[in-house]
Amino acid sequence: HVQLVESGGGSVQVGGSLRLSCEVSGYIGSRYSMAWFCQAPGKEREGVVTICTDDTENIFYTYYFDSVKGRFTISRESGKNTVHLQMNSLKPEDTAMYYCAATSRLLTGSLPLQAGQYKYWGQGTQVTVS
């Protein structure tokens, strides 16, 4: 049984930083994709970043949504089943609920930032930038 638990959200001023974490329990697969999505009130859930990796901690590739390139960085913590999202230079439009997601496939092409491609989801953590 796979569970994803997010943490690290909060309120921050414009230009500030936050680090979100997603702790995974259970076995996703030997190769898998993990992603962060965000959803603002009244808007659809949209992909922020995806990391495609395996259970020996190899990172095959990452995908970033254009609006976060150069500001957000996804990483996985060595020795732990945890993925982090470092968010810098935050803007008011980054305000949203952020969700961690995972699936037991390596997603390529246009798939990595599509919510429907992911099987496992966390409960979300709120990020507010003002």
Side-chain angles (χ1 to χ4, degrees):
H1 179 61
V2 174
Q3 281 192 308
L4 308 178
V5 179
E6 303 97 334
S7 61
S11 296
V12 64
Q13 292 185 335
V14 173
S17 298
L18 282 174
R19 188 191 194 208
L20 306 185
S21 298
C22 176
E23 185 172 351
V24 181
S25 60
Y27 183 69
I28 300 173
S30 59
R31 294 185 171 189
Y32 53 94
S33 300
M34 291 191 67
W36 287 95
F37 285 77
C38 68
Q39 188 168 21
K43 294 189 176 181
E44 291 187 358
R45 192 169 298 189
E46 61 181 22
V48 176
V49 59
T50 297
I51 185 168
C52 297
T53 183
D54 67 13
D55 57 6
T56 61
E57 301 184 8
N58 293 307
I59 296 174
F60 299 105
Y61 33 83
T62 57
Y63 294 94
Y64 289 88
F65 190 63
D66 285 347
S67 67
V68 305
K69 286 179 181 178
R71 300 191 298 124
F72 292 8
T73 303
I74 191 169
S75 63
R76 61 172 298 174
E77 188 168 342
S78 179
K80 293 187 177 181
N81 222 2
T82 301
V83 170
H84 301 290
L85 180 64
Q86 179 66 43
M87 310 166 69
N88 298 327
S89 303
L90 284 162
K91 305 175 180 180
E93 51 265 42
D94 295 321
T95 295
M97 185 71 80
Y98 282 74
Y99 297 90
C100 181
T103 188
S104 57
R105 295 186 294 146
L106 296 182
L107 299 175
T108 60
S110 62
L111 301 181
L113 297 181
Q114 295 181 9
Q117 300 297 325
Y118 293 85
K119 181 177 181 180
Y120 307 106
W121 290 87
Q123 293 300 306
T125 185
Q126 178 68 36
V127 171
T128 302
V129 185
S130 61

